[in-house]
Amino acid sequence: MSRQVKVSVIGLGYIGLPTSIILSNSGFEVSGFDINKNVVDKINSGTCHIKEPGLDHALKKAISNGLIAKNTVVESDIFLIAVPTPVSKNNKPDLSYVESAIDSIIPVLKSDNLVIIESTIPVGTTELMRQKIFKNRKDLLGKIHLSHCPERVLPGKILIELVENDRIVGGVDERSTLLSCDFYKTFVKGNVFPTSDKIAEMTKLVENAYRDVNIAYANEISMICDKLGIDISELISLANRHPRVDILSPGPGVGGHCIAVDPMFIIDSCPSYSSLIRTARNVNNKKPRWVIEKILPHIRNLDKKEISIVCLGCSYKPNVDDTRESPALNIVRRLQKIKSNKNLNILLCDTYVNESDIDIKINNAKDVVNHSDIILCLVKHDEFLKIDFDNLSSQGKVIIDTCGLWDYRVN
């Protein structure tokens, strides 16, 4: 495939922006589209609206190579859709962003265009979008190509993993699959595996449901161990000495755009056959409430009119700024709403997260931990690893560790 083709990336978020940058720096003529004018203006000025190692420098290079962000979709050869796919309040997949993306490109589609959906979607969605296009553009029937290629990257390593990771590509027909594979092979160093659209869709869902189940097991064991007075850190260390056991580290729940959401797509599609996946979701959703229940007795027992609770971290995982579905942020907001006869001063520390994005003041951990009554460890950011928790504990501070900053001590 010639790299002189025009590529439009629809959605300039955590996946769309890095992908646009990589494609531009790989020699493609790239236009990025986003409905948020502030995002478009920032990108065109050379400023990233998300934090990701190396992204700022790579963006400036991409702009010099011709990358431009727009609010209006333009004619292209390839359209790559990377918009959110959340779940609704009743845990149903919300495909409105994907549908809007398809609606935006329908007027400018032409014969032989390739449309690739990278957004995580329920099984059958790629085919539904194909039908949507042909319903509105009967002149394109059999003349365009459509496939699904799910992203599978780790925040903090997105620029690396978009290139290095293997990709699964599934088209609605053989020609769509072939063209999509040829496209990814121009910039992906990992293997590119061709398959059907349904298998590609299900692969991403199964991967994240697998991770969700494994995390749920660790979280459930941590709650059991707390009830039985067992050191969960030592237990996991010893259990993992078995050559075929690899228990993950427990935490305050599960967050992020993928693991906390994607299993619901499977549950919604096949509710009668997904009891294990549903149970895992329930366990991980329960964990933030359990953390709050561990804090309440300490609030009641402290003989002070005003109690300071320092919350360490609010992103959904260490060393990133992403707060989507974050259990840590969930816990902080719950604490802020607690009704008590005591005055609770909730102090949040997280240098990765912009306080304007969450509407909560961010404090410096060094300035507040020594003046706190309760220290709640929620995210294992590198910045918190230097805190001397043993010394703080000897001063009478209550330390509730949910993420392994102080050996998973929840007491």
Side-chain angles (χ1 to χ4, degrees):
M1 177 180 290
S2 170
R3 297 196 187 188
Q4 299 306 309
V5 300
K6 296 180 180 180
V7 181
S8 281
V9 179
I10 316 300
L12 296 175
Y14 284 90
I15 300 301
L17 177 58
T19 300
S20 300
I21 290 170
I22 288 172
L23 291 173
S24 181
N25 290 337
S26 297
F28 290 96
E29 183 178 337
V30 184
S31 297
F33 169 82
D34 201 281
I35 59 175
N36 190 322
K37 186 178 183 302
N38 289 332
V39 167
V40 170
D41 290 343
K42 277 189 174 183
I43 291 171
N44 287 332
S45 69
T47 304
C48 293
H49 63 286
I50 57 176
K51 292 181 182 178
E52 182 68 24
L55 201 61
D56 288 309
H57 175 73
L59 173 60
K60 289 178 173 59
K61 180 181 177 182
I63 290 175
S64 69
N65 287 327
L67 173 64
I68 185 170
K70 300 180 178 182
N71 287 123
T72 304
V73 179
V74 297
E75 286 190 356
S76 296
D77 301 299
I78 298 174
F79 294 89
L80 195 153
I81 295 173
V83 295
T85 48
V87 292
S88 64
K89 290 183 179 180
N90 60 352
N91 289 324
K92 294 285 185 180
D94 180 359
L95 295 178
S96 61
Y97 295 95
V98 174
E99 291 173 343
S100 293
I102 293 295
D103 286 337
S104 72
I105 69 173
I106 285 176
V108 297
L109 283 174
K110 58 184 186 293
S111 181
D112 284 331
N113 275 172
L114 173 61
V115 180
I116 302 173
I117 302 174
E118 284 207 359
S119 306
T120 305
I121 48 180
V123 173
T125 303
T126 307
E127 173 60 27
L128 285 175
M129 294 305 107
R130 184 177 77 97
Q131 294 174 14
K132 182 179 180 68
I133 292 171
F134 292 156
K135 181 180 179 180
N136 289 273
R137 292 285 305 276
K138 292 182 175 58
D139 60 303
L140 293 176
L141 186 63
K143 296 180 180 179
I144 65 166
H145 315 284
L146 189 66
S147 65
H148 177 56
C149 179
E151 56 81 15
R152 38 171 34 169
V153 297
L154 184 69
K157 296 182 179 180
I158 293 178
L159 282 176
I160 296 172
E161 295 204 347
L162 280 175
V163 174
E164 300 290 340
N165 287 359
D166 293 344
R167 302 303 291 263
I168 311 299
V169 180
V172 295
D173 52 45
E174 187 175 348
R175 180 64 174 166
S176 296
T177 303
L178 177 62
L179 289 174
S180 300
C181 286
D182 286 346
F183 168 63
Y184 282 100
K185 286 177 181 178
T186 61
F187 66 94
V188 170
K189 294 181 181 178
N191 295 313
V192 178
F193 294 95
T195 186
S196 68
D197 54 326
K198 285 188 175 182
I199 291 179
E201 291 165 339
M202 189 62 166
T203 298
K204 176 65 179 292
L205 304 182
V206 167
E207 290 169 352
N208 283 326
Y210 172 85
R211 297 169 68 196
D212 196 39
V213 169
N214 280 272
I215 296 170
Y217 180 73
N219 280 337
E220 185 163 276
I221 291 297
S222 74
M223 292 185 283
I224 293 171
C225 286
D226 181 71
K227 182 71 174 179
L228 298 178
I230 294 174
D231 185 330
I232 182 64
S233 180
E234 183 179 357
L235 173 74
I236 291 177
S237 176
L238 293 174
N240 283 346
R241 303 294 291 182
H242 189 290
R244 288 171 295 281
V245 173
D246 185 17
I247 302 172
L248 303 178
S249 300
V254 172
H257 176 60
C258 294
I259 301 179
V261 175
D262 296 355
M264 300 308 304
F265 293 6
I266 299 176
I267 296 169
D268 182 71
S269 297
C270 299
S272 60
Y273 293 103
S274 50
S275 58
L276 175 62
I277 298 172
R278 182 186 295 106
T279 299
R281 272 285 75 229
N282 290 338
V283 168
N284 287 330
N285 282 337
K286 176 185 176 181
K287 196 69 187 290
R289 295 194 299 272
W290 181 84
V291 173
I292 295 294
E293 290 169 1
K294 296 300 298 183
I295 298 170
L296 292 178
H298 294 291
I299 294 175
R300 290 192 294 265
N301 294 335
L302 282 171
D303 188 20
K304 298 182 68 175
K305 288 185 178 180
E306 181 174 284
I307 297 173
S308 293
I309 302 177
V310 172
C311 301
L312 299 179
C314 71
S315 62
Y316 89 87
K317 63 172 293 179
N319 305 322
V320 300
D321 69 331
D322 196 343
T323 59
R324 290 177 294 178
E325 309 296 330
S326 169
L329 184 57
N330 181 335
I331 291 166
V332 173
R333 295 200 189 281
R334 284 172 183 257
L335 285 172
Q336 290 180 321
K337 294 179 181 178
I338 288 178
K339 302 295 183 182
S340 173
N341 58 356
K342 296 180 181 179
N343 185 16
L344 296 181
N345 186 21
I346 311 300
L347 302 170
L348 174 61
C349 304
D350 196 317
T351 58
Y352 289 89
V353 175
N354 189 331
E355 61 182 32
S356 64
D357 293 334
I358 58 174
D359 197 27
I360 302 176
K361 178 177 171 57
I362 303 292
N363 298 272
N364 188 308
K366 293 180 180 179
D367 296 336
V368 296
V369 290
N370 287 313
H371 306 290
S372 63
D373 300 296
I374 299 174
I375 301 173
L376 179 59
C377 305
L378 295 172
V379 187
K380 201 173 182 179
H381 287 323
D382 287 346
E383 63 175 304
F384 302 143
L385 296 176
K386 299 176 183 179
I387 296 175
D388 189 344
F389 291 103
D390 288 324
N391 180 50
L392 291 169
S393 178
S394 69
Q395 296 176 33
K397 312 292 185 186
V398 175
I399 302 174
I400 300 175
D401 185 7
T402 71
C403 62
L405 274 171
W406 194 45
D407 295 330
Y408 304 115
R409 302 181 195 190
V410 184
N411 48 36

